[in-house]
């Protein structure tokens, strides 16, 4: 019996350091967007903090293109050892509905690590639109009989599909005008070229503060700290609507669970760092860490939601 207990103790002692020693080599954080954007800024802030906590360097690797497909493929080209992670947003769950012959399976080839942060969308309307609140905007839109328009930061983007969900929920018809990025989509509303858009709070808050755009409602369970005077959609009379920009972390399927948990702990704790918090505030985002299983459920919920939006928009895989 003593030998059995001793053997078990030695076994536990030999495996425990293995879990604690990860990572012992530099980590790679793939960002599927160009350098300089909000995702890149958050990734670099996290890399500094995680690297210090883990005692290894964290290399940020920008792999833009293909609607984030190139970045996802770059992760899958690496060994399933947890040394490489991928920052991802809504495009991860939208792509299967829009891209024919996607070169991977989003449900089987990846493993959720943690949600990172989110930025609620705010409904913005042009100064040319007479409505002053959400109900007034819905009534005005219905009176336009399908001639009112909205912009988005890309065909099939979260802003586009979020607006499709809004149209469905509010019972209105509007023309979609896609732009290449949030800045031109916002400028289109500022100039009166289109009537409305769903924008990221951090991007559009200065325009709202300057009185150049009217903010009618913000998506989320509570009001945004950046826009305390703007009601939520529920408070404004439209229950059950949600749309946001979010970021999360994935690794390859097959990575040992203890390594996934270690990655979760490192990145989730890094979100509390003052410099990371400062970066989030600058982007109008809020830290939203979650356990791997919880993040997996969130991804499934988002996938189901966007499937409905894609069907509503009549979009077909290309």
């Amino acid at each position: 019996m003593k030998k059995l207990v001793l053997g078990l103790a030695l076994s536990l002692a030999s495996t425990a350091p293995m879990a604690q020693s990860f990572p012992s080599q530099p980590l790679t954080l793939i960002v599927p967007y160009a350098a300089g954007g909000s995702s890149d800024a958050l990734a670099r802030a996290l890399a500094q903090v995680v690297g210090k906590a883990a005692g290894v360097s964290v290399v940020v690797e920008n792999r833009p293109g293909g609607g984030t497909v190139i970045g996802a493929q770059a992760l899958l080209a690496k060994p399933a050892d947890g040394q490489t992670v991928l920052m991802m947003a809504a495009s991860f769950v939208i792509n299967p509905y829009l891209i024919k012959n996607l070169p991977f399976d989003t449900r089987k080839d990846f493993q959720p690590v943690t949600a990172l942060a989110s930025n609620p969308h705010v409904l913005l309307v042009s100064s040319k639109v007479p409505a002053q609140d959400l109900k007034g905007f819905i009534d005005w839109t219905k009176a336009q009989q399908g001639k009112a328009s909205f912009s988005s930061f890309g065909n099939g983007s979260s802003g586009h599909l979020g607006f499709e969900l809004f149209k469905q929920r509010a019972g209105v018809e509007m023309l979609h005008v896609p732009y290449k990025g949030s800045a031109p989509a916002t400028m289109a509303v500022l100039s009166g070229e289109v009537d409305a858009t769903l924008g990221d709070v951090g991007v559009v808050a200065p325009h709202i503060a300057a009185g150049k755009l009217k903010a009618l409602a913000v998506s989320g369970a509570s009001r945004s700290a950046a826009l305390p005077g703007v009601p939520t959609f529920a408070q404004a009379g439209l229950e059950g609507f949600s749309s946001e920009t979010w970021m999360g972390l994935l690794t390859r399927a097959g990575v040992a669970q203890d390594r996934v948990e270690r990655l979760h702990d490192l990145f989730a704790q890094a979100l509390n760092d003052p410099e990371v918090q400062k970066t989030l505030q600058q982007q109008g985002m809020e830290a939203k860490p979650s356990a791997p299983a919880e993040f997996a459920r969130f991804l499934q919920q988002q996938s189901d939601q966007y499937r409905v939006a894609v069907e509503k928009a009549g979009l077909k895989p290309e």
Side-chain angles (χ1 to χ4, degrees), residues 67-280:
T68 72
V69 172
I70 290 176
Q73 287 181 296
L75 171 64
L76 296 179
K78 302 290 186 178
D81 55 9
Q83 294 291 149
T84 306
V85 289
L86 171 71
M87 181 178 282
M88 187 48 75
S91 54
F92 179 75
V93 295
I94 294 172
N95 282 341
Y97 304 119
L98 298 181
I99 299 177
K100 273 186 178 180
N101 303 317
L102 196 65
F104 47 74
D105 188 318
T106 56
R107 299 187 183 187
K108 296 179 180 179
D109 296 337
F110 301 87
Q111 195 161 347
V113 176
T114 184
L116 292 172
S118 67
N119 186 351
H121 288 159
V122 58
L123 176 61
L124 303 164
V125 298
S126 165
S127 59
K128 295 182 179 180
V129 175
Q132 299 301 317
D133 56 28
L134 182 61
K135 182 180 183 304
F137 175 70
I138 292 173
D139 290 343
W140 176 83
T141 301
K142 289 179 178 178
Q144 302 308 302
Q145 300 181 336
K147 294 180 182 179
S149 59
F150 73 94
S151 64
S152 78
F153 43 89
N155 201 39
S157 65
S158 61
H160 171 205
L161 297 182
F163 216 110
E164 293 293 344
L165 292 171
F166 166 73
K167 286 166 51 182
Q168 180 185 35
R169 196 71 184 171
V172 299
E173 288 299 329
M174 298 179 70
L175 299 171
H176 173 224
V177 185
Y179 289 82
K180 294 182 178 180
S182 58
T186 303
M187 287 302 299
V189 184
L190 280 166
S191 67
E193 187 176 333
V194 297
D195 299 310
T197 195
L198 281 175
D200 289 336
V201 169
V203 175
V204 301
H207 298 301
I208 297 170
K212 296 179 180 179
L213 288 173
K214 289 186 286 187
L216 302 186
V218 65
S219 175
S222 58
R223 299 192 183 205
S224 168
L227 300 171
V230 180
T232 66
F233 277 89
Q235 291 170 341
L238 190 67
E239 297 279 354
F241 172 72
S242 176
S243 182
E244 62 183 356
T245 294
W246 53 264
M247 297 177 189
L249 208 64
L250 307 168
T251 190
R252 280 196 56 176
V255 174
Q257 190 59 38
D258 60 340
R259 293 195 171 195
V260 173
E261 294 291 344
R262 174 66 170 154
L263 288 169
H264 166 270
D265 293 346
L266 285 168
F267 281 90
Q269 291 167 12
L271 289 169
N272 295 319
D273 181 83
E275 286 301 313
V276 174
Q277 284 286 319
K278 181 179 177 181
T279 300
L280 288 171

